[in-house]
Amino acid sequence: MGVVVEPTIACVVPCHNEEAAVGKVVRDLRAALPEAVVYVYDNASTDRTVEVARAAGAIVRQEPRKGKGNVIRRAFADVDADALLIVDGDDTYDASRARDMVDLLFEGPYDQVVGARRVTDDGAYRTGHAVGNKFLTGAVRSLFGNDVTDMLSGYRVFSRRFVKSFPALAREFETETEMTIHALHLRLPTAEVVVDYRVRPAGGESKLRTYRDGWRILRVILDLARRERPSLVHTVLAGVLALISVVLGIPVIADFVRTGTVPRVPTAILAAAIMTIAALVLLVGYILESLTHMRQEQTRLVHLSYPAPVRTPLYTAHGAGTGPVPVRKTMDGP
């Protein structure tokens, strides 16, 4: 008798003090994806988030270290599913689009489907956040590729192979930046679905701070550029150092051509030393580029060790009989 193994779906909802909204988010997810298991990861909440989430039918897990990145790292390590959806627990995203996003992941197949935000309520997306998102998204597009329009969206669906090859090193809101660059740098197939983005319900409070978290995300982009594009970064630094050396050295060379002597010996030594440093910086950049390439190959091999997401059930031989028996993969549920 054949056994049908249906693809599994999990939803992860990171929450910190979201009692006003998390119940509706969980109910909307369960209505849109009745076959999915919904996990609410409570991130050191001091209100009734846990009780409300459980009452709505979610499995509640705890991550005491504050920060969305810490929640994502824990969830990606704990949850095993063919499709894993993450959405913020503040009810600003349209959770009813979850079915469209999951279906698109399987139909592609894609490794990531991003919910690109379309603001439907005045005040849902503050001006500072909108400007910062455009600036940071533009920086990532310039450094890593153009396949992204809303880098900071917190509404995404991932394949198993994305989740299990993603290092998840970020601690706070910069985790979305890390996800985006991971997909861009490995050239993972990604799609976008336009989703409504609305104002928070009464009693909810945004945890994002425009300038503090914007600066943190910019630092992450620069750090990832240094680690993922070392030849580019080191070439720029070497070019700056070489320019300084040339500016310092031209008067010394001019004096030597005119008089046959080098009256400014310290300047000549400094210019030569800076040019030597520039050459070393350039050399280090190329060495790091080789190491980065090897690391990318290893990450790619881990990614390829998992099958692509497919909607078609998998069949396995089991005994004898006249037809297949549908069986879901085992996942703990409410």
XYZ file of all heavy atoms in Angstrom, residues 184-282:
759
model
N 20.007 37.069 -2.090
C 20.627 37.736 -3.236
C 22.004 37.174 -3.535
O 22.364 36.951 -4.699
C 20.722 39.237 -2.978
C 19.413 40.030 -3.004
C 19.663 41.471 -2.566
C 18.794 40.007 -4.388
N 22.779 36.957 -2.482
C 24.161 36.547 -2.713
C 24.265 35.121 -3.231
O 25.166 34.803 -4.013
C 24.976 36.707 -1.428
C 26.408 37.027 -1.674
N 26.818 38.053 -2.497
C 27.552 36.446 -1.228
C 28.140 38.098 -2.539
N 28.606 37.131 -1.786
N 23.348 34.255 -2.794
C 23.342 32.881 -3.309
C 22.467 32.728 -4.550
O 22.326 31.634 -5.075
C 22.856 31.912 -2.222
C 23.795 31.676 -1.043
C 23.197 30.655 -0.098
C 25.175 31.222 -1.505
N 21.871 33.860 -4.995
C 21.003 33.875 -6.172
C 19.866 32.858 -6.037
O 19.569 32.093 -6.962
C 21.816 33.632 -7.443
C 22.863 34.689 -7.716
C 23.460 34.568 -9.094
N 24.251 33.357 -9.245
C 25.534 33.253 -8.886
N 26.153 34.290 -8.368
N 26.183 32.127 -9.064
N 19.236 32.840 -4.867
C 18.120 31.936 -4.617
C 16.860 32.485 -5.282
O 16.609 33.692 -5.247
C 17.885 31.790 -3.112
C 19.086 31.324 -2.284
C 18.685 31.162 -0.824
C 19.655 30.016 -2.829
N 16.052 31.627 -5.887
C 14.828 32.102 -6.549
C 13.867 32.732 -5.548
O 13.481 32.109 -4.553
C 14.241 30.827 -7.178
C 14.883 29.695 -6.439
C 16.226 30.172 -6.014
N 13.490 33.975 -5.801
C 12.658 34.751 -4.899
C 11.535 35.418 -5.682
O 11.732 35.837 -6.820
C 13.501 35.828 -4.180
O 14.490 35.181 -3.375
C 12.637 36.708 -3.294
N 10.373 35.511 -5.073
C 9.233 36.202 -5.681
C 8.643 37.156 -4.646
O 8.910 37.042 -3.451
C 8.180 35.206 -6.157
N 7.834 38.091 -5.136
C 7.165 39.037 -4.256
C 5.660 39.013 -4.505
O 5.216 38.805 -5.637
C 7.690 40.462 -4.460
C 9.099 40.674 -3.933
C 9.521 42.133 -4.002
O 8.873 42.913 -4.741
O 10.493 42.503 -3.327
N 4.901 39.205 -3.440
C 3.455 39.342 -3.506
C 3.102 40.650 -2.821
O 3.532 40.903 -1.688
C 2.747 38.165 -2.800
C 1.246 38.422 -2.718
C 3.019 36.861 -3.530
N 2.332 41.496 -3.474
C 1.928 42.766 -2.869
C 0.872 42.481 -1.808
O -0.149 41.839 -2.081
C 1.377 43.734 -3.930
C 0.877 45.017 -3.276
C 2.461 44.052 -4.959
N 1.125 42.947 -0.581
C 0.192 42.733 0.527
C -0.142 44.072 1.173
O 0.677 44.987 1.195
C 0.781 41.765 1.585
C 1.035 40.403 0.981
C 2.061 42.334 2.190
N -1.352 44.171 1.684
C -1.774 45.400 2.359
C -1.047 45.552 3.687
O -0.815 44.560 4.406
C -3.283 45.384 2.607
C -4.080 45.501 1.313
O -3.480 45.924 0.301
O -5.277 45.169 1.326
N -0.697 46.794 3.984
C -0.028 47.111 5.253
C -0.844 48.206 5.928
O -1.047 49.280 5.368
C 1.403 47.593 4.983
C 2.239 47.779 6.228
C 2.714 46.675 6.925
C 2.566 49.051 6.693
C 3.496 46.830 8.059
C 3.341 49.210 7.829
C 3.802 48.103 8.510
O 4.577 48.257 9.643
N -1.336 47.912 7.120
C -2.293 48.804 7.770
C -1.770 49.261 9.131
O -0.764 48.758 9.632
C -3.636 48.102 7.928
C -3.549 46.748 8.618
C -4.864 46.018 8.617
N -4.763 44.696 9.197
C -4.960 43.559 8.536
N -5.262 43.590 7.246
N -4.866 42.388 9.149
N -2.502 50.182 9.709
C -2.125 50.731 11.003
C -2.347 49.683 12.090
O -3.196 48.794 11.965
C -2.951 52.002 11.300
C -4.408 51.645 11.573
C -2.354 52.785 12.457
N -1.566 49.773 13.155
C -1.700 48.843 14.273
C -3.056 49.011 14.958
O -3.613 50.104 14.967
C -0.615 49.120 15.320
C 0.759 48.585 14.964
C 1.787 49.125 15.943
N 3.036 48.395 15.809
C 3.366 47.337 16.549
N 2.545 46.923 17.495
N 4.515 46.723 16.362
N -3.583 47.943 15.566
C -4.815 48.086 16.335
C -4.578 48.914 17.587
O -3.438 49.069 18.042
C -5.185 46.636 16.682
C -3.901 45.890 16.631
C -3.087 46.553 15.551
N -5.643 49.440 18.152
C -5.536 50.238 19.371
C -4.896 49.416 20.480
O -5.238 48.247 20.686
C -6.921 50.713 19.799
N -3.927 50.025 21.164
C -3.223 49.333 22.241
C -1.891 48.764 21.820
O -1.086 48.362 22.657
N -1.623 48.706 20.505
C -0.339 48.207 20.021
C 0.682 49.324 19.932
O 0.344 50.484 19.708
N 1.948 48.961 20.092
C 3.021 49.950 20.040
C 4.166 49.413 19.203
O 4.603 48.267 19.386
C 3.532 50.273 21.447
C 4.672 51.299 21.464
C 5.225 51.524 22.863
O 4.677 50.925 23.809
O 6.203 52.275 22.995
N 4.648 50.222 18.255
C 5.751 49.800 17.388
C 7.031 49.644 18.194
O 7.364 50.479 19.038
C 5.965 50.833 16.278
O 7.098 50.480 15.509
N 7.753 48.546 17.930
C 9.038 48.317 18.605
C 10.201 48.866 17.789
O 11.335 48.894 18.252
C 9.250 46.803 18.830
C 8.036 46.050 19.376
C 7.493 46.633 20.655
C 6.340 45.802 21.220
N 5.179 45.698 20.348
N 9.914 49.284 16.544
C 10.964 49.776 15.661
C 11.238 51.244 15.949
O 10.318 52.052 16.042
C 10.541 49.607 14.200
C 11.548 50.007 13.125
C 12.774 49.123 13.194
C 10.912 49.929 11.745
N 12.513 51.596 16.103
C 12.930 52.972 16.304
C 13.669 53.432 15.051
O 14.675 52.830 14.674
C 13.834 53.086 17.534
C 13.143 52.674 18.835
C 12.015 53.629 19.194
N 11.308 53.221 20.415
C 10.195 52.536 20.436
N 9.631 52.153 19.285
N 9.602 52.208 21.567
N 13.160 54.483 14.416
C 13.616 54.873 13.080
C 15.122 55.042 13.013
O 15.799 54.432 12.174
C 12.920 56.178 12.652
O 11.500 55.979 12.681
C 13.354 56.569 11.243
N 15.687 55.887 13.854
C 17.106 56.218 13.731
C 18.002 55.129 14.333
O 19.002 54.742 13.726
C 17.379 57.572 14.398
C 16.611 58.692 13.745
C 15.501 59.259 14.360
C 16.968 59.156 12.476
C 14.779 60.274 13.744
C 16.260 60.171 11.857
C 15.165 60.729 12.493
O 14.453 61.717 11.875
N 17.629 54.654 15.516
C 18.462 53.630 16.144
C 18.525 52.367 15.295
O 19.606 51.855 14.996
C 17.908 53.286 17.536
C 18.777 52.293 18.316
C 17.999 51.623 19.429
N 16.953 50.754 18.878
C 16.127 50.034 19.634
N 16.187 50.127 20.946
N 15.207 49.260 19.066
N 17.353 51.852 14.890
C 17.335 50.610 14.115
C 17.785 50.843 12.677
O 18.361 49.943 12.051
C 15.935 49.994 14.150
C 15.567 49.500 15.548
O 16.355 48.739 16.119
O 14.515 49.900 16.063
N 17.535 52.053 12.130
C 18.055 52.358 10.797
C 19.576 52.339 10.776
O 20.188 51.798 9.853
N 20.190 52.937 11.801
C 21.654 52.910 11.885
C 22.166 51.485 12.074
O 23.175 51.093 11.493
C 22.121 53.798 13.032
C 23.575 53.677 13.350
C 24.142 53.235 14.513
C 24.690 53.984 12.486
N 25.512 53.245 14.431
C 25.879 53.705 13.198
C 24.773 54.471 11.185
C 27.142 53.890 12.646
C 26.041 54.655 10.626
C 27.194 54.374 11.351
N 21.452 50.691 12.884
C 21.858 49.307 13.093
C 21.808 48.525 11.776
O 22.715 47.750 11.454
C 20.939 48.652 14.133
C 21.373 47.248 14.526
C 20.302 46.598 15.395
N 20.105 47.345 16.617
C 20.832 47.164 17.717
N 21.798 46.255 17.714
N 20.585 47.875 18.788
N 20.729 48.735 10.995
C 20.596 48.024 9.715
C 21.684 48.464 8.743
O 22.262 47.647 8.011
C 19.188 48.257 9.135
C 18.141 47.554 10.004
C 19.094 47.755 7.694
C 16.723 47.968 9.699
N 21.991 49.778 8.715
C 23.057 50.265 7.841
C 24.392 49.639 8.212
O 25.173 49.252 7.333
C 23.144 51.785 7.927
C 24.220 52.449 7.051
C 24.005 52.119 5.576
C 24.222 53.953 7.265
N 24.647 49.505 9.507
C 25.880 48.851 9.945
C 25.928 47.400 9.486
O 26.980 46.899 9.086
C 25.996 48.923 11.469
C 26.482 50.272 11.988
C 26.351 50.366 13.493
N 26.792 49.157 14.162
C 26.440 48.828 15.402
N 25.606 49.604 16.070
N 26.899 47.725 15.963
N 24.776 46.739 9.550
C 24.734 45.345 9.095
C 25.034 45.259 7.602
O 25.772 44.375 7.147
C 23.354 44.724 9.411
C 23.191 43.382 8.702
C 23.194 44.543 10.912
N 24.459 46.188 6.812
C 24.719 46.194 5.367
C 26.202 46.377 5.090
O 26.799 45.661 4.269
C 23.908 47.312 4.678
C 22.399 47.001 4.751
C 24.331 47.479 3.220
C 21.521 48.133 4.274
N 26.826 47.335 5.786
C 28.256 47.581 5.581
C 29.081 46.380 6.016
O 30.060 46.006 5.345
C 28.682 48.830 6.361
C 28.060 50.155 5.879
C 28.464 51.299 6.809
C 28.484 50.453 4.444
N 28.697 45.760 7.129
C 29.440 44.589 7.597
C 29.282 43.416 6.637
O 30.249 42.702 6.342
C 28.956 44.205 8.996
C 29.775 43.069 9.595
O 31.007 43.233 9.735
O 29.186 42.015 9.915
N 28.050 43.227 6.131
C 27.833 42.150 5.163
C 28.562 42.428 3.856
O 29.067 41.502 3.202
C 26.339 41.971 4.914
C 25.556 41.311 6.048
C 24.060 41.412 5.805
C 25.953 39.849 6.204
N 28.636 43.699 3.467
C 29.407 44.043 2.267
C 30.880 43.694 2.472
O 31.540 43.170 1.565
C 29.249 45.527 1.949
N 31.386 43.976 3.655
C 32.793 43.656 3.953
C 33.028 42.150 3.913
O 34.062 41.683 3.416
C 33.158 44.205 5.334
C 34.589 43.908 5.770
C 34.845 44.446 7.164
N 33.940 43.867 8.143
C 34.142 42.681 8.713
N 35.202 41.948 8.385
N 33.293 42.215 9.602
N 32.041 41.372 4.421
C 32.214 39.921 4.468
C 31.859 39.238 3.162
O 32.487 38.250 2.786
C 31.362 39.330 5.605
C 31.890 39.671 6.979
C 31.221 38.868 8.074
N 29.895 39.356 8.413
C 28.785 38.655 8.265
N 28.824 37.455 7.729
N 27.619 39.147 8.621
N 30.842 39.759 2.457
C 30.367 39.098 1.242
C 30.970 39.673 -0.040
O 30.993 39.006 -1.063
C 28.835 39.190 1.169
C 28.103 38.636 2.380
C 28.283 37.141 2.529
O 28.658 36.482 1.543
O 28.052 36.628 3.636
N 31.443 40.923 -0.012
C 32.083 41.540 -1.175
C 33.451 42.105 -0.785
O 33.727 43.298 -0.942
C 31.205 42.669 -1.737
C 29.820 42.260 -2.191
C 29.851 41.504 -3.501
N 30.514 42.254 -4.550
C 29.924 43.163 -5.311
N 28.647 43.470 -5.108
N 30.582 43.785 -6.266
N 34.343 41.268 -0.236
C 35.622 41.795 0.279
C 36.498 42.420 -0.793
O 37.198 43.407 -0.515
C 36.298 40.568 0.908
C 35.656 39.398 0.243
C 34.246 39.806 -0.032
N 36.492 41.881 -2.002
C 37.346 42.462 -3.042
C 36.897 43.878 -3.376
O 37.733 44.779 -3.579
C 37.327 41.589 -4.297
O 36.015 41.513 -4.845
N 35.578 44.128 -3.411
C 35.067 45.469 -3.684
C 35.464 46.434 -2.572
O 35.984 47.527 -2.834
C 33.544 45.427 -3.822
C 32.843 46.784 -3.948
C 33.288 47.504 -5.208
C 31.326 46.610 -3.914
N 35.206 46.039 -1.317
C 35.518 46.911 -0.184
C 37.011 47.193 -0.109
O 37.442 48.342 0.068
C 35.017 46.271 1.132
C 35.486 47.082 2.340
C 33.496 46.166 1.122
N 37.834 46.177 -0.265
C 39.279 46.364 -0.150
C 39.836 47.137 -1.342
O 40.823 47.869 -1.195
C 39.972 45.006 0.003
C 39.880 44.449 1.384
N 40.950 44.384 2.251
C 38.822 43.945 2.073
C 40.573 43.856 3.393
N 39.288 43.575 3.313
N 39.227 46.983 -2.502
C 39.671 47.768 -3.655
C 39.410 49.252 -3.429
O 40.245 50.110 -3.746
C 38.957 47.291 -4.927
O 39.301 45.930 -5.187
C 39.360 48.142 -6.129
N 38.250 49.563 -2.850
C 37.926 50.966 -2.549
C 38.900 51.522 -1.518
O 39.449 52.630 -1.679
C 36.473 51.087 -2.049
C 36.207 52.505 -1.540
C 35.500 50.738 -3.165
N 39.150 50.756 -0.442
C 40.087 51.220 0.582
C 41.495 51.372 0.011
O 42.189 52.367 0.293
C 40.111 50.234 1.754
C 38.856 50.178 2.618
C 38.985 49.087 3.673
C 38.608 51.525 3.282
N 41.911 50.414 -0.792
C 43.251 50.492 -1.398
C 43.332 51.690 -2.338
O 44.360 52.379 -2.392
C 43.561 49.195 -2.153
N 42.262 51.960 -3.066
C 42.251 53.116 -3.959
C 42.382 54.430 -3.197
O 43.099 55.346 -3.614
N 41.681 54.539 -2.057
C 41.776 55.755 -1.242
C 43.196 55.936 -0.714
O 43.769 57.041 -0.759
C 40.761 55.699 -0.080
C 40.998 56.848 0.898
C 39.332 55.744 -0.610
N 43.785 54.848 -0.201
C 45.154 54.928 0.312
C 46.144 55.274 -0.801
O 47.064 56.081 -0.601
C 45.534 53.598 0.969
C 44.823 53.261 2.285
C 45.132 51.838 2.711
C 45.231 54.247 3.373
N 45.949 54.669 -1.970
C 46.852 54.959 -3.080
C 46.741 56.420 -3.506
O 47.761 57.062 -3.826
C 46.531 54.036 -4.261
N 45.528 56.964 -3.497
C 45.337 58.374 -3.843
C 46.054 59.285 -2.853
O 46.720 60.266 -3.245
C 43.845 58.694 -3.876
C 43.479 60.143 -4.227
C 43.988 60.493 -5.630
C 41.968 60.349 -4.147
N 45.947 58.969 -1.568
C 46.658 59.761 -0.550
C 48.161 59.692 -0.775
O 48.876 60.704 -0.689
C 46.303 59.253 0.860
C 44.825 59.527 1.150
C 47.183 59.923 1.920
C 44.331 58.899 2.445
N 48.647 58.497 -1.080
C 50.079 58.332 -1.324
C 50.535 59.156 -2.525
O 51.590 59.799 -2.492
C 50.398 56.851 -1.552
O 51.756 56.674 -1.903
N 49.728 59.162 -3.585
C 50.084 59.922 -4.781
C 50.097 61.425 -4.485
O 51.007 62.155 -4.910
C 49.110 59.598 -5.930
C 49.297 60.576 -7.088
C 49.325 58.169 -6.406
N 49.099 61.886 -3.737
C 49.032 63.311 -3.383
C 50.252 63.719 -2.578
O 50.837 64.795 -2.779
C 47.737 63.610 -2.604
C 47.760 65.022 -2.022
C 46.518 63.434 -3.510
N 50.661 62.867 -1.645
C 51.860 63.173 -0.860
C 53.136 63.037 -1.677
O 54.111 63.777 -1.467
C 51.941 62.233 0.358
C 50.876 62.423 1.447
C 50.993 61.314 2.483
C 51.047 63.786 2.108
N 53.145 62.106 -2.615
C 54.386 61.806 -3.334
C 54.673 62.711 -4.509
O 55.841 62.891 -4.885
N 53.643 63.316 -5.131
C 53.872 64.156 -6.313
C 54.825 65.319 -6.029
O 55.777 65.564 -6.805
C 52.526 64.648 -6.877
C 51.827 63.496 -7.610
C 52.718 65.833 -7.818
C 50.463 63.850 -8.155
N 54.669 66.087 -4.933
C 55.637 67.172 -4.667
C 57.062 66.658 -4.472
O 58.028 67.314 -4.885
C 55.097 67.820 -3.382
C 53.655 67.466 -3.360
C 53.568 66.108 -3.956
N 57.205 65.491 -3.833
C 58.541 64.925 -3.611
C 59.188 64.577 -4.947
O 60.369 64.870 -5.189
C 58.442 63.676 -2.710
C 59.809 63.011 -2.569
C 57.893 64.047 -1.335
N 58.393 63.958 -5.834
C 58.926 63.596 -7.156
C 59.259 64.852 -7.958
O 60.279 64.924 -8.665
C 57.898 62.713 -7.900
C 57.718 61.384 -7.169
C 58.348 62.478 -9.344
C 56.598 60.526 -7.728
N 58.403 65.865 -7.840
C 58.661 67.122 -8.556
C 59.963 67.773 -8.084
O 60.753 68.276 -8.899
C 57.482 68.085 -8.352
N 60.193 67.760 -6.762
C 61.450 68.303 -6.236
C 62.645 67.524 -6.754
O 63.695 68.105 -7.110
C 61.439 68.263 -4.699
C 60.505 69.306 -4.104
O 60.157 70.258 -4.828
O 60.120 69.165 -2.927
N 62.509 66.208 -6.821
C 63.624 65.382 -7.286
C 63.919 65.640 -8.761
O 65.089 65.712 -9.176
C 63.295 63.904 -7.065
C 64.369 62.966 -7.521
C 65.527 62.800 -6.783
C 64.243 62.279 -8.726
C 66.533 61.948 -7.224
C 65.230 61.424 -9.165
C 66.388 61.254 -8.410
N 62.867 65.778 -9.575
C 63.058 66.052 -11.002
C 63.709 67.412 -11.203
O 64.589 67.594 -12.062
C 61.702 65.978 -11.743
C 61.847 66.485 -13.177
C 61.177 64.538 -11.736
N 63.320 68.393 -10.394
C 63.827 69.751 -10.568
C 65.243 69.923 -10.017
O 66.082 70.582 -10.619
C 62.875 70.741 -9.878
C 63.217 72.203 -10.152
C 62.210 73.172 -9.552
N 62.149 73.068 -8.109
C 61.169 72.477 -7.431
N 60.151 71.948 -8.098
N 61.191 72.408 -6.112
N 65.550 69.306 -8.829
C 66.836 69.557 -8.154
C 67.743 68.342 -8.093
O 68.923 68.464 -7.788
C 66.583 70.055 -6.724
O 65.953 68.999 -5.960
C 65.694 71.281 -6.726
N 67.170 67.165 -8.318
C 67.973 65.951 -8.201
C 68.158 65.503 -6.777
O 68.922 64.569 -6.513
N 67.458 66.136 -5.838
C 67.564 65.762 -4.421
C 66.163 65.507 -3.863
O 65.150 65.861 -4.475
C 68.232 66.871 -3.593
O 67.423 68.058 -3.665
C 69.630 67.173 -4.128
N 66.147 64.920 -2.665
C 64.880 64.656 -1.977
C 64.919 65.385 -0.634
O 65.288 64.809 0.398
C 64.651 63.145 -1.764
C 63.299 62.893 -1.091
C 64.741 62.388 -3.077
N 64.553 66.654 -0.622
C 64.647 67.431 0.623
C 63.612 67.005 1.663
O 63.833 67.170 2.856
C 64.418 68.878 0.162
C 63.645 68.759 -1.108
C 64.121 67.502 -1.758
N 62.461 66.477 1.236
C 61.416 66.088 2.184
C 61.401 64.561 2.346
O 60.511 63.859 1.873
C 60.066 66.599 1.690
C 59.950 68.128 1.789
C 58.581 68.619 1.408
N 58.428 68.678 -0.041
C 57.372 69.200 -0.654
N 56.384 69.711 0.060
N 57.315 69.239 -1.967
N 62.430 64.071 3.004
C 62.576 62.623 3.180
C 61.428 62.020 3.990
O 60.894 60.957 3.614
C 63.936 62.304 3.841
C 64.045 60.813 4.157
C 65.080 62.731 2.928
N 61.000 62.623 5.109
C 59.886 62.017 5.861
C 58.613 61.871 5.008
O 57.911 60.853 5.096
C 59.663 62.995 7.019
C 60.992 63.652 7.199
C 61.548 63.786 5.815
N 58.314 62.886 4.182
C 57.130 62.802 3.323
C 57.281 61.678 2.307
O 56.326 60.951 2.015
C 56.909 64.135 2.601
O 56.773 65.185 3.556
C 55.656 64.090 1.738
N 58.514 61.544 1.773
C 58.764 60.470 0.808
C 58.575 59.103 1.449
O 57.964 58.198 0.864
C 60.165 60.597 0.241
N 59.055 58.954 2.674
C 58.903 57.670 3.379
C 57.433 57.392 3.671
O 56.941 56.275 3.502
C 59.733 57.683 4.678
C 61.220 57.749 4.346
C 59.411 56.449 5.521
C 62.105 57.902 5.561
N 56.704 58.452 4.115
C 55.280 58.275 4.414
C 54.497 57.882 3.165
O 53.656 56.974 3.209
C 54.730 59.577 4.996
C 53.225 59.577 5.335
C 52.915 58.519 6.389
C 52.775 60.956 5.796
N 54.775 58.552 2.039
C 54.076 58.231 0.799
C 54.355 56.789 0.367
O 53.438 56.059 -0.051
C 54.487 59.209 -0.299
N 55.606 56.360 0.481
C 55.957 54.989 0.103
C 55.291 53.973 1.030
O 54.806 52.918 0.586
C 57.475 54.821 0.139
N 55.228 54.309 2.332
C 54.619 53.389 3.292
C 53.118 53.248 3.026
O 52.575 52.131 3.069
C 54.858 53.895 4.710
N 52.459 54.367 2.746
C 51.012 54.307 2.475
C 50.737 53.519 1.203
O 49.776 52.733 1.138
C 50.436 55.732 2.385
C 50.500 56.419 3.750
C 48.992 55.696 1.891
C 50.035 57.857 3.739
N 51.561 53.689 0.170
C 51.372 52.919 -1.058
C 51.581 51.432 -0.804
O 50.862 50.590 -1.359
C 52.322 53.418 -2.134
C 52.114 52.764 -3.493
S 50.446 53.049 -4.177
C 50.621 54.765 -4.708
N 52.542 51.083 0.043
C 52.768 49.677 0.397
C 51.557 49.105 1.130
O 51.120 47.979 0.859
C 54.019 49.546 1.279
O 55.149 50.075 0.577
C 54.288 48.095 1.637
N 51.011 49.894 2.062
C 49.806 49.457 2.782
C 48.642 49.259 1.813
O 47.875 48.300 1.927
C 49.443 50.480 3.875
C 50.519 50.494 4.963
C 48.083 50.160 4.480
C 50.353 51.596 5.976
N 48.509 50.158 0.830
C 47.441 50.033 -0.156
C 47.566 48.719 -0.924
O 46.563 48.025 -1.162
C 47.475 51.218 -1.120
N 48.793 48.372 -1.296
C 49.010 47.120 -2.016
C 48.652 45.914 -1.148
O 48.045 44.946 -1.621
C 50.462 47.028 -2.477
N 49.006 45.986 0.143
C 48.684 44.884 1.053
C 47.177 44.761 1.260
O 46.638 43.651 1.311
C 49.389 45.101 2.400
C 50.918 44.955 2.394
C 51.490 45.337 3.751
C 51.319 43.523 2.032
N 46.495 45.908 1.406
C 45.038 45.885 1.568
C 44.383 45.248 0.349
O 43.458 44.431 0.464
C 44.507 47.318 1.793
C 42.983 47.357 1.659
C 44.925 47.832 3.163
N 44.858 45.586 -0.846
C 44.309 45.002 -2.069
C 44.553 43.497 -2.112
O 43.652 42.720 -2.470
C 44.951 45.672 -3.284
C 44.369 45.300 -4.652
C 42.909 45.716 -4.761
C 45.193 45.943 -5.765
